[in-house]
Amino acid sequence: PFWVCAYANNQWNLQGELSTDPRESPFFRAMTLSQGILLVLDSNATPFHRIWCCFEAWFALTDQHRSAGDKMLLDIATCPFQGPSLPQEAELLLDGLTSEEQDSEAQHPGKGYMKKIARESNFPLE
């Protein structure tokens, strides 16, 4: 399961869900149970301007509660626009390989990672 912030707390009573230590919040407890976090970027990279989103990314990158082989995943997605209202396909940066890439890697070592490089080369950097 992946972390979805909106489902980890009572959206109508957020003050009742928060404490001075974010590690005591329902947000944090739910994150510790998840396999990873999906960071969805808009054209303004809004999540990097929100303190809680930065905390989530930090937690995914530094999670000390797991063994080395069971690290939390941090995937990043965006859907660039080709004009005023024509979205392109979603682009993904994955913390690992897709199922198809894993299959390719198992059959031909190196091929799955080459597919990952090709897929991720479409991710917009601006």
Side-chain angles (χ1 to χ4, degrees):
F2 267 67
W3 162 249
V4 179
C5 176
Y7 299 135
N9 58 75
N10 180 348
Q11 295 292 315
W12 304 110
N13 185 20
L14 289 178
Q15 289 302 331
E17 303 281 336
L18 302 176
S19 72
T20 57
D21 184 351
R23 292 170 291 187
E24 294 176 3
S25 70
F27 299 104
F28 186 80
R29 290 192 301 272
M31 279 195 310
T32 62
L33 299 174
S34 68
Q35 179 182 356
I37 293 173
L38 176 63
L39 178 67
V40 180
L41 290 177
D42 60 10
S43 60
N44 296 318
T46 301
F48 297 121
H49 300 278
R50 294 183 175 163
I51 192 69
W52 187 261
C53 295
C54 292
F55 176 76
E56 291 171 349
W58 170 82
F59 178 74
L61 295 170
T62 64
D63 183 11
Q64 302 297 313
H65 297 93
R66 299 167 195 254
S67 62
D70 189 33
K71 69 182 188 96
M72 179 172 274
L73 303 175
L74 176 61
D75 296 345
I76 303 173
T78 192
C79 190
F81 282 82
Q82 264 187 336
S85 62
L86 301 173
Q88 297 175 353
E89 288 187 25
E91 300 292 346
L92 301 170
L93 296 177
L94 300 182
D95 196 353
L97 302 174
T98 65
S99 297
E100 179 185 330
E101 293 162 353
Q102 289 174 1
D103 292 344
S104 293
E105 188 65 21
Q107 294 173 9
H108 305 284
K111 188 172 182 179
Y113 285 96
M114 294 303 292
K115 286 184 173 186
K116 174 184 174 71
I117 290 168
R119 175 181 49 75
E120 292 184 349
S121 69
N122 295 320
F123 196 91
L125 299 178
E126 293 184 24

